[in-house]
Amino acid sequence: MNKIIVFGIFFLFNSFLIMAQKTPITKVVADKSSKIPLDKVSVYNEKDNSLTNEEGVFSFISDRDDINFSLIGYEDLKTSLQQIKNQDTIFLQSKMVELDEVVVGQELAMLKKAYAKLKENYILEPYHENFFLRCVLKRDNELSRLQDIYGKVSRKSIFKTKSQPDNKCEVEVLNMRKVGISEKSDIVYFKFQSFEKLFDLNTLIFIVLDKFELTQQKNIAGDYLKINFVSKEPNTMGQKTNGHFVINRADYAIVETYFDFYDDPEKVPYSKDGKAEYRTSSFKRTTNYKKNTSVGKYYLNNANSDVKVELLGNEKIKTAIYDYSTQYFVTNSFIAEKAKSNLSMDKDIFKVKYPYSEQFWKSQNQLPLTSELKDFLKKVSDNKENKKEFEIVGNF
């Protein structure tokens, strides 16, 4: 059966070392005062990186004993695996300024200075890194696809520049697990983005300054600046882009970017592909940069994207809401080995083929399955023989 392709615009993570590793740990990071779990806490040492999820949970594996915890607005914590081995929860002390005051005046000069220092703060020449990527698709709040990729990427530069206008990357997939389930009666296929699109969106850092209103926010730690921005005029779809930059006061490096591209989704017109009409009603992305102390340059540590696509129903197609998310996470930055490309950069990521390694996915401990994902895999397993009603695609 021919399938109608619905294009969803657009979305963690690490290097896995097999030999000489200690027992992996899994714990929770929370705010010391409120006891609320903290998302996107960077967990790392000089060799390895991990990240907490929305429940504050992280998994970490390394052949070193030292371990550090870092999150903007909190005191850095430097400790060891030995010291925290008997702790279920690690607490971080907030150093946020509890004010909602907005200061107007110097935002433009601050952001111009940050842009002027990009060459000094970031690597604008070829480099390589290891990563994990997780892509998740839900249809009407029901999981329908999961794809985890561990690999290596070689970049010409961290950003597109005048000297590197294309910034083509090469990706080598080293391990992958993917599975998708859909009803046989569903004639719609949701197209994942390509690696080329993913990398372009992950490193989006520039805005045309004269087209945005800027304000400085003061509810952030004193060693950082937070500059909010919003489009002065709506785009052709009637939308205003808004977001923020977080800038390190010490060196004017932009350490976090947030973009929200849709402020009034009801104004977005539907596009048509075959007999299907659809529109993107939400698209948000966050990127965090971290400094590699040995190299003295910032790299893209993690990037998350969330997209919502509305499918308009008709006599053949059911109305549906698709939620698509990607989480990209670098485990080892500035590695020596170049990626040996084994895929097409412009290809739908879910169409990428690579054999499943049960040993790898049972051993790695930096991209754990959540309870929701475990339930999804059980659903797939329970229906794998039910070929009359379900179509299952995967490599394991």
Side-chain angles (χ1 to χ4, degrees), residues 5-23:
I5 294 180
V6 176
F7 178 72
I9 305 177
F10 207 48
F11 17 6
L12 267 166
F13 317 94
N14 292 14
S15 165
F16 180 76
L17 306 175
I18 301 254
M19 298 182 291
Q21 289 192 334
K22 295 186 176 182
T23 303

Side-chain angles (χ1 to χ4, degrees), residues 168-277:
K168 294 290 186 182
C169 300
E170 292 184 75
V171 170
E172 180 181 1
V173 175
L174 300 174
N175 269 291
M176 184 174 74
R177 62 182 173 193
K178 71 173 181 176
V179 64
I181 184 170
S182 60
E183 296 179 10
K184 285 277 189 176
S185 58
D186 184 9
I187 62 171
V188 171
Y189 173 75
F190 186 100
K191 184 178 179 182
F192 279 13
Q193 76 208 89
S194 65
F195 268 105
E196 185 175 32
K197 292 282 187 183
L198 176 76
F199 289 148
D200 281 350
L201 290 166
N202 279 353
T203 56
L204 185 60
I205 201 169
F206 293 100
I207 60 173
V208 181
L209 296 177
D210 62 358
K211 294 185 180 297
F212 288 83
E213 297 284 353
L214 305 176
T215 55
Q216 183 184 347
Q217 189 171 314
K218 286 193 68 176
N219 60 341
I220 193 165
D223 43 357
Y224 292 95
L225 304 167
K226 186 174 183 180
I227 297 177
N228 299 315
F229 60 83
V230 60
S231 305
K232 292 179 180 178
E233 300 293 337
N235 59 22
T236 55
M237 292 190 295
Q239 306 302 300
K240 287 188 176 184
T241 297
N242 67 86
H244 69 249
F245 297 107
V246 176
I247 300 172
N248 189 332
R249 289 179 183 271
D251 54 13
Y252 279 84
I254 296 173
V255 296
E256 179 176 289
T257 68
Y258 169 73
F259 285 82
D260 183 349
F261 297 99
Y262 293 83
D263 71 320
D264 191 358
E266 291 305 315
K267 289 184 178 179
V268 179
Y270 283 90
S271 299
K272 194 168 185 178
D273 190 335
K275 294 181 180 180
E277 292 185 78

Side-chain angles (χ1 to χ4, degrees), residues 131-144:
F131 71 90
F132 270 103
L133 171 68
R134 169 165 286 173
C135 302
V136 174
L137 179 67
K138 292 183 179 181
R139 186 179 188 273
D140 294 333
N141 290 320
E142 291 285 332
L143 277 164
S144 59

Side-chain angles (χ1 to χ4, degrees), residues 2 8 39 42 47 79 128 216 250-251 272 299 342 367:
N2 292 328
D39 186 14
S42 185
K47 291 186 66 177
T79 182
H128 325 293
Q216 183 184 347
D251 54 13
K272 194 168 185 178
Y299 65 96
N342 58 2
L367 198 58

Side-chain angles (χ1 to χ4, degrees), residues 150-164:
Y150 165 66
K152 187 186 301 179
V153 58
S154 291
R155 303 175 181 270
K156 289 184 179 180
S157 170
I158 191 170
F159 309 120
K160 287 183 177 181
T161 63
K162 290 182 180 179
S163 58
Q164 294 286 5

